[in-house]
Each structure stands twice: as structure tokens, then as C-alpha cells.
Amino acid sequence: MTLKTEPGRTKPGTRRHPTGVKAILLWIGVAMVTLAVVVVLARWIRGLEPVQDFLLTYPGRSELPDGAPVGIPAWLGWQHFLNAFFLVLIIRTGWQVRNTARPPGHWTRRNTGLFKTRNKPTKISLDLWFHLSLDVLWLLNGLVFVVLLFVTGGWMRIVPTSWDVVPNALSAALQYASLNWPIENGWVNYNSLQLLAYFAIVFIAAPLAAITGVRMSSAWPKGHRRLDKAFPIELARRIHFPVMVFFVGFVIVHVVLVFSTGMLANLNHMYAAREGAGWLGFGFFAASLAVMVAAWLLARPLFLRPVAGLMGKVSK
């Protein structure tokens, strides 16, 4: 005998899981409570005498090597905008590829010219085509960034050169968590937690995203058993999505800290290549934000199909 229930009701003894707005509110509540606990705990820890001595020994930043450049060059502002522009659209299209069951169209590369291959081109979704196209542009921009970083010596600002970066990063993390934040002077030197975060983004997360993305794309050589065995596609999938989550988390924390640790000065550093407060950097930031919003809204099949048609065949 089965127990019948009315539509919209659950069986006795079962529990509904909150969905939609309720789930979002629940997670927001959990996050706020967790943050409050972290702040209280961090403040208590900071009050301990050994911890106070630790903070005096390790204030939160390591000394830069001799010859390290001071200030933020103008090319870094352009790189920052392009990185943000491509990354926002890559995350959006990656989420669409992951969750769209019926794509709005498909794309097939024309097997002619310089990109002619022996194997027949693979038919992919329009969302995946856009995602891969953005990936290529993002990687080219990243290559330019890394080259300029080493040519100008800027790498010394985001690559650890001393082991004391670790205790200094722990010190900075404790200061952030206790809401008594470390003294910021990004024009001269990032704190050690920032340094490690930027290093992880540029030299760990970005390469992982690129390598796993190539493994899952049609660019990966087909029929090579040794390569497939050395780097299984299942492993690439298990890495690729968490890397995207890491990027999202980094962007959220980065934006929050930029706005809460001296917004005008930080935006001047990042977008106007100048030190001090003023509204020029904010103006450049607002313009770049408008461009990103416009690109987000225009990234629809209506506008993507003509562009994709220039590079291949578009079909339903």
C-alpha cells in the first residue's frame, strides 16, 4: 500500500530542502554568522601576548629585492582591464556550457586555409565556440602580461623571493580577519597575502585553467593513447571547474578589498597609473565597467551568429 499525498505536499516524515530565494537567504545567513565567528575568534587571538609579538616580528609584508620597480605602469592598467573583461565573459560562457542542455546553435570550423587539418572538424555548440574564442584572447593577453612583467622587473612584486612571505601572509590574514587591517601601500609594495594571491592567480590558476581547457577541447590530439592516459579527460574536468570557482572567489574578495581599503587611491593605481586620491581612476573604472556590462548584454546568439559565421559554419 502506497501513501498518497496531495500535489505540492511532501510525504510524512520527509523534509523539504529550501530552494530559490530561501536557499540564497539561508546561505547568506550562514556566511554572516561564520564571518562573525571568524572576526570574534581573530580578535581574541590577536589579544594573546605571543601573537602580538608575532605581529611585531612579521607586520604582514616582505621587503622587495633591490631594483624592484616602484609604482604601477600604464600598461598594467590596460592589462588589468583586458584580464577582467575576458575573465568575466569566460566565467559566464563556461557556466553556460556546463548547464545548457539545448544550446542556441552550433559551429563547425571551416577546414581550409592555414587551419586545415587531416581530421574532420568537430561540431560544437555556439556557447563553446564563444568560450574557446575568449580563452584564446585571454591567453594571448596573459602572454603579453607575463612578458612585460619579466622585462620590466614587475615580477618581483608578485613572486615570493623570501621565505618570510609565509609568516607575513599569516600575519596579514589575521589582521584582515580581525578587521584591524594591515597598512596598505600598493603603489610601493603589496602585503604578503596579496603577493601570494597574485602569484597563485598568474602562475598557478591561469596555467591550470589553460591546460585543462585544452584537454577538454577539440584542440587536444585525438587517438594518442599515451597522452590520454597521462592526462585523462576526467581529471581535467575535476580540476577545471574548481579553478573557475577559485577565480570567482578571488574576484569577489579582490573587488571588496579594493573598495574598502581606499577606493580612489586603489583605482588610481590600477587604472590611471598614478599615486594619491582623485577621481580619474574611478572614471576609467566606470568606463571599463560599462564596456563589460555592454559585452555581457550583447553576448547573445543574435550577435554571436554573424561573428561565428566569419570563422566557420553556424547551424542549429
Side-chain angles (χ1 to χ4, degrees), residues 60-280:
R61 62 186 179 278
S62 300
E63 295 298 325
L64 293 175
D66 295 335
V70 176
I72 310 296
W75 63 263
L76 194 58
W78 281 102
Q79 285 288 318
H80 190 277
F81 160 68
L82 291 173
N83 258 319
F85 177 82
F86 291 134
L87 190 59
V88 166
L89 292 178
I90 285 172
I91 292 172
R92 178 181 186 265
T93 54
W95 187 257
Q96 288 176 324
V97 170
R98 181 182 176 87
N99 293 281
T100 301
R102 295 182 178 180
H106 292 83
W107 179 84
T108 307
R109 176 178 57 83
R110 291 193 184 96
N111 199 19
T112 57
L114 296 176
F115 298 98
K116 186 176 182 179
T117 58
R118 184 179 302 176
N119 297 324
K120 184 179 179 180
T122 304
K123 184 178 180 180
I124 61 176
S125 70
L126 194 62
D127 292 332
L128 182 56
W129 165 80
F130 191 36
H131 183 72
L132 295 175
S133 300
L134 291 167
D135 285 341
V136 172
L137 294 174
W138 179 62
L139 289 174
L140 290 175
N141 183 66
L143 180 61
V144 173
F145 171 75
V146 172
V147 170
L148 290 174
L149 203 63
F150 282 94
V151 168
T152 61
W155 65 270
M156 288 183 278
R157 291 171 55 92
I158 65 170
V159 175
T161 58
S162 173
W163 285 106
D164 71 352
V165 69
V166 175
N168 274 302
L170 293 175
S171 172
L174 181 59
Q175 293 176 65
Y176 279 124
S178 65
L179 299 184
N180 187 2
W181 292 354
I183 298 174
E184 298 289 341
N185 190 6
W187 186 257
V188 177
N189 188 8
Y190 299 126
N191 69 55
S192 294
L193 192 60
Q194 286 178 297
L195 184 152
L196 291 179
Y198 296 149
F199 176 81
I201 281 290
V202 175
F203 297 105
I204 299 177
L208 278 176
I211 294 170
T212 55
V214 169
R215 178 62 183 93
M216 295 186 297
S217 74
S218 57
W220 184 261
K222 295 181 180 179
H224 291 266
R225 294 183 179 180
R226 290 184 180 179
L227 281 176
D228 294 342
K229 186 177 181 180
F231 191 11
I233 192 171
E234 293 78 12
L235 177 61
R237 287 170 178 161
R238 285 197 296 267
I239 295 174
H240 199 72
F241 182 74
V243 169
M244 186 204 76
V245 174
F246 176 74
F247 271 108
V248 173
F250 172 84
V251 170
I252 293 174
V253 174
H254 181 62
V255 171
V256 169
L257 291 179
V258 165
F259 277 80
S260 59
T261 60
M263 180 187 72
L264 293 181
N266 288 333
L267 292 178
N268 269 335
H269 295 172
M270 296 161 60
Y271 288 93
R274 61 172 57 189
E275 189 178 12
W279 289 92
L280 182 61

Side-chain angles (χ1 to χ4, degrees), residues 5-69:
T5 59
E6 296 180 11
R9 294 186 180 182
T10 56
K11 294 181 181 180
T14 61
R15 183 175 57 183
R16 271 188 172 181
H17 295 286
T19 58
V21 176
K22 290 183 179 180
I24 295 174
L25 293 176
L26 175 62
W27 282 110
I28 291 176
V30 171
M32 292 179 65
V33 172
T34 302
L35 287 174
V37 172
V38 168
V39 170
V40 171
L41 185 62
R43 285 181 173 272
W44 174 75
I45 292 175
R46 285 197 63 165
L48 301 176
E49 186 174 345
V51 176
Q52 293 178 0
D53 294 337
F54 173 80
L55 293 177
L56 288 175
T57 305
Y58 300 103
R61 62 186 179 278
S62 300
E63 295 298 325
L64 293 175
D66 295 335

